[in-house]
């Protein structure tokens, strides 16, 4: 922990020594005066004794009685306080702050940095200019202005680097003695706003994206209505074609609104963990059955590897169906036409040894470039927008999956190799309340069911 290497004891001792020296100086002056009197009047013994007596008396008075020097004392106190500041209690207060804070003098020289500041900005040395750590022109300009006696203020700045960090820096003047224009010290308090800014940006992007996604089919609908009311009023052949497109666009808008509502519903209950005990195997079967027509249309086979006994998890049936449906549908839409989609359920302990169930959906399609993988669960993020639109995708599927898995306190992992397909895996904690389980129906271990329909 950075320290200014001087404690109050040392300073107190130094003050006492200085005080004694000051008194000794007066005493010497008086003694010298006494000696002078003795030298001038050597013959008069009584005067000799009187001078000596006076010298001792004045010395004693000067040593014992403190001199009333209010102004000088005040100045000394201020100097002493400035030398030891920040003192122990101030340092303790700075350490109690969760936010990083620097205490600097008015020339921007560092006096103290709390632990949070050292953790965020690396180790610091008292005596160094604060600009060694805070190299932000707008913040340094504010420190300079406050040091010259202007009011304290807050500035927001973004720190460039490998990862962008955004801080609100508040510079507050500290005056040890009241009534001075220029402060003795400055407190620079930093509040990390990176996450807040990221969420603000995401919210703004989301509104922009949602409006754009809704506006596109709406513009198409309006365009066709105008055409049907105008030039194509009596065009029997095109009317039907246009109406079909309009229907598709209307359905697209409805899908988008359904997905948005679904996302907001899940977000609203994100803090409540579902507690119904259900068999994830049944959910997979249900989703696969619903997607057989799509698999048939692309000539893709779906292979299901089930567990030898029910894989029970605590979850919400509809939400987990949404998860499995989207993952298997994605594998069919973006995998290889005529290929195979493998859905496998297995018992797998979590990293902390917690018993769990993992469901992985693997396709043998073109895979996903590594750069896209971390962004796939962002709302409206699509690797190939036109391909997704052609497949009637809204780009919200994986965002919904991520939120549902998070609400179930589970984990979603995505691995993919270019030209080697992708694997989307959902891990959920295994339910341990056995009395709620339906009668176990033992099947062959790792039973493989070919669900393809030819
Ligand atoms: N198995 C996969 N293989 C290759 N790319 C995939 C796969 N799964 C998802 N993707 C990519 O991730 C993007 C986002 O998927 P997501 O499910 O969120 O949206 P979508 O499928 O386009 O639309 P929606 O799910 O709303 O119908 C897809 O557009 C696609 O580019
Ligand atoms: Mg999808």
């Amino acid at each position: 922990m950075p320290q200014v290497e001087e404690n109050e004891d040392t300073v107190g001792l130094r003050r006492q020594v200085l005080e004694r020296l000051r008194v000794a100086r007066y005493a010497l002056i008086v003694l010298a005066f006494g000696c002078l009197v003795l030298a001038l009047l050597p013959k008069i013994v009584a005067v000799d004794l009187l001078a000596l007596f006076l010298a001792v008396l004045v010395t004693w008075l000067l040593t014992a009685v403190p001199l009333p020097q209010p102004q000088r004392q005040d100045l000394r106190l201020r100097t002493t306080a400035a030398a030891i500041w920040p003192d122990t209690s101030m340092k303790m207060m700075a350490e109690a702050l969760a936010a990083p804070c620097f205490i600097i003098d008015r020339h921007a020289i560092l006096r103290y940095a709390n632990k949070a500041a050292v953790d965020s900005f690396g180790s610091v040395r008292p005596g160094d200019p604060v600009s060694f750590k805070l190299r932000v022109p707008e913040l340094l300009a504010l420190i300079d202005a406050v040091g010259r006696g202007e009011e304290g203020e807050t500035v927001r700045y973004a720190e460039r680097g490998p990862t962008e960090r955004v801080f609100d820096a508040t510079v507050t003047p500290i005056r040890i003695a009241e009534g001075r224009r220029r402060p003795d010290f400055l407190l620079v308090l930093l509040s990390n706003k990176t996450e807040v800014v990221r969420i603000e940006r995401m919210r703004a992007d989301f509104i922009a994206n949602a409006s754009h996604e809704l506006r596109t089919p709406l513009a198409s609908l309006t365009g066709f209505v105008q055409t049907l009311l105008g030039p194509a009023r009596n065009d029997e052949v095109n009317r039907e074609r246009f109406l079909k497109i309009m229907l598709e666009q209307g359905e697209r808008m409805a899908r988008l609104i359904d997905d948005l509502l679904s996302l907001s519903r899940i977000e609203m209950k994100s803090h409540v963990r579902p507690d119904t005990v259900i068999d994830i195997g049944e959910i997979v079967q249900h989703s696969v059955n619903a997607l057989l027509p799509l698999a048939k249309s692309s000539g893709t086979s779906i292979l299901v590897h089930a567990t030898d006994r029910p894989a029970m998890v605590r979850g919400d049936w509809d939400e987990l169906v949404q998860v499995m449906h989207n993952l298997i549908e994605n594998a069919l839409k973006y995998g290889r036409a005529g290929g195979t989609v493998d859905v496998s359920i297995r018992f797998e302990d979590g990293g902390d040894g917690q018993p769990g169930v993992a469901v992985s959906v693997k396709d043998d399609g073109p895979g996903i470039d590594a750069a896209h993988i971390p962004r796939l669960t962002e709302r409206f993020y699509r690797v190939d927008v036109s391909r997704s639109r052609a497949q009637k995708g809204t780009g919200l599927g994986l965002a919904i999956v991520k939120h549902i898995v998070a609400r179930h306190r589970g984990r979603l992992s995505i691995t993919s190799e270019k030209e080697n397909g992708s694997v989307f895996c959902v891990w959920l904690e295994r339910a341990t309340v056995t009395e709620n389980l339906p009668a176990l129906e033992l099947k062959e271990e790792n039973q493989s069911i070919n669900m393809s329909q030819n």
Side-chain angles (χ1 to χ4, degrees):
M1 193 168 64
Q3 301 277 344
V4 173
E5 294 299 337
E6 191 167 36
N7 62 33
E8 284 155 291
D9 291 346
T10 335
V11 170
L13 194 66
R14 203 175 60 180
R15 203 165 50 191
Q16 272 182 24
V17 170
L18 285 173
E19 185 71 16
R20 298 288 141 186
L21 281 174
R22 198 171 62 83
V23 169
R25 200 180 55 185
Y26 285 121
L28 277 173
I29 294 168
V30 173
L31 273 172
F33 181 72
C35 290
L36 185 71
V37 172
L38 277 175
L40 289 176
L41 300 166
K43 305 270 170 341
I44 311 164
V45 176
V47 175
D48 286 0
L49 284 173
L50 184 68
L52 205 61
F53 171 75
L54 275 174
V56 172
L57 181 72
V58 173
T59 309
W60 176 79
L61 276 173
L62 285 171
T63 318
V65 183
L67 294 176
Q69 291 174 320
Q71 275 190 342
R72 293 187 62 186
Q73 247 182 1
D74 184 40
L75 177 73
R76 209 170 55 241
L77 266 177
R78 227 160 47 201
T79 319
T80 311
I84 61 159
W85 219 84
D87 57 15
T88 313
S89 54
M90 184 62 199
K91 285 178 191 170
M92 280 167 69
M93 279 182 70
E95 288 306 332
L97 292 174
C101 89
F102 293 98
I103 297 170
I104 58 176
D105 67 18
R106 62 167 172 258
H107 306 293
I109 302 296
L110 189 74
R111 281 301 187 95
Y112 191 76
N114 70 354
K115 185 174 179 305
V118 175
D119 289 347
S120 280
F121 296 90
S123 63
V124 290
R125 258 200 340 219
D128 280 351
V130 75
S131 55
F132 282 11
K133 287 294 161 197
L134 306 171
R135 298 188 191 90
V136 187
E138 54 268 47
L139 175 57
L140 294 176
L142 175 62
I143 288 174
D144 183 53
V146 178
R148 278 185 283 105
E150 287 184 24
E151 283 297 301
E153 233 185 89
T154 301
V155 282
R156 175 165 292 188
Y157 70 88
E159 210 183 54
R160 310 278 162 223
T163 48
E164 193 193 73
R165 296 194 300 175
V166 181
F167 286 97
D168 272 356
T170 306
V171 183
T172 315
I174 300 169
R175 290 177 178 88
I176 293 180
E178 278 182 23
R180 305 181 72 188
R181 198 178 71 82
R182 298 181 69 189
D184 298 282
F185 297 99
L186 278 66
L187 180 76
V188 183
L189 190 64
L190 294 138
S191 166
N192 193 334
K193 295 285 173 194
T194 315
E195 192 57 18
V196 174
V197 169
R198 194 183 67 82
I199 290 168
E200 270 171 19
R201 221 175 270 164
M202 263 176 58
R203 216 173 276 279
D205 284 354
F206 173 68
I207 291 171
N209 283 329
S211 323
H212 174 76
E213 292 290 332
L214 281 169
R215 198 181 285 270
T216 314
L218 192 63
S220 159
L221 272 175
T222 322
F224 281 117
V225 170
Q226 281 166 348
T227 315
L228 284 173
L229 285 173
R233 183 183 285 268
N234 301 314
D235 186 343
E236 290 285 328
V237 188
N238 277 323
R239 187 189 304 157
E240 199 174 325
R241 193 166 65 86
F242 291 166
L243 284 172
K244 267 191 190 152
I245 300 173
M246 287 168 68
L247 182 65
E248 271 172 26
Q249 297 300 327
E251 283 171 350
R252 182 172 161 68
M253 286 177 77
R255 261 199 317 275
L256 200 65
I257 290 165
D258 282 350
D259 279 357
L260 286 173
L261 286 175
S262 176
L263 201 54
S264 110
R265 261 197 308 271
I266 296 158
E267 265 187 325
M268 272 198 311
K269 15 180 213 185
S270 63
H271 56 286
V272 190
R273 189 178 175 177
D275 62 355
T276 325
V277 178
I278 46 179
D279 181 358
I280 197 85
E282 279 180 25
I283 288 174
V284 169
Q285 299 266 1
H286 179 90
S287 309
V288 169
N289 288 341
L291 286 163
L292 283 178
L294 180 65
K296 190 179 173 188
S297 69
S298 63
T300 310
S301 308
I302 306 178
L303 285 177
V304 179
H305 303 274
T307 46
D308 56 345
R309 52 193 191 281
M312 309 309 287
V313 295
R314 284 181 188 282
D316 180 295
W317 173 273
D318 289 333
E319 288 185 8
L320 290 179
V321 164
Q322 243 178 314
V323 169
M324 291 307 149
H325 190 281
N326 186 55
L327 295 185
I328 301 167
E329 186 190 44
N330 280 356
L332 292 171
K333 285 196 300 189
Y334 308 112
R336 185 169 61 89
T340 307
V341 171
D342 258 293
V343 186
S344 95
I345 311 164
R346 58 190 183 279
F347 295 116
E348 189 179 294
D349 288 353
D352 43 6
Q354 229 163 7
V357 179
V359 184
S360 55
V361 179
K362 181 177 181 306
D363 65 68
D364 52 4
I368 308 164
D369 207 278
H372 295 293
I373 293 179
R375 300 199 59 191
L376 288 182
T377 52
E378 283 176 24
R379 291 153 201 217
F380 299 114
Y381 190 84
R382 285 163 283 195
V383 177
D384 181 344
V385 178
S386 48
R387 180 157 182 207
S388 162
R389 286 227 175 103
Q391 302 272 14
K392 300 186 176 167
T394 61
L396 288 171
L398 287 175
I400 295 175
V401 167
K402 183 179 95 172
H403 276 86
I404 294 176
V405 172
R407 173 163 127 82
H408 283 73
R409 311 292 185 263
R411 283 190 291 275
L412 169 72
S413 63
I414 307 171
T415 44
S416 182
E417 247 181 74
K418 212 75 188 113
E419 306 307 328
N420 246 338
S422 317
V423 185
F424 288 74
C425 183
V426 172
W427 183 91
L428 297 167
E429 200 184 312
R430 220 169 135 189
T432 47
V433 186
T434 42
E435 58 268 31
N436 283 358
L437 304 184
L440 295 187
E441 197 183 299
L442 287 174
K443 295 180 191 162
E444 253 179 65
E445 180 137 3
N446 273 344
Q447 189 181 10
S448 174
I449 314 159
N450 191 333
M451 305 293 287
S452 61
Q453 261 191 4
N454 297 311

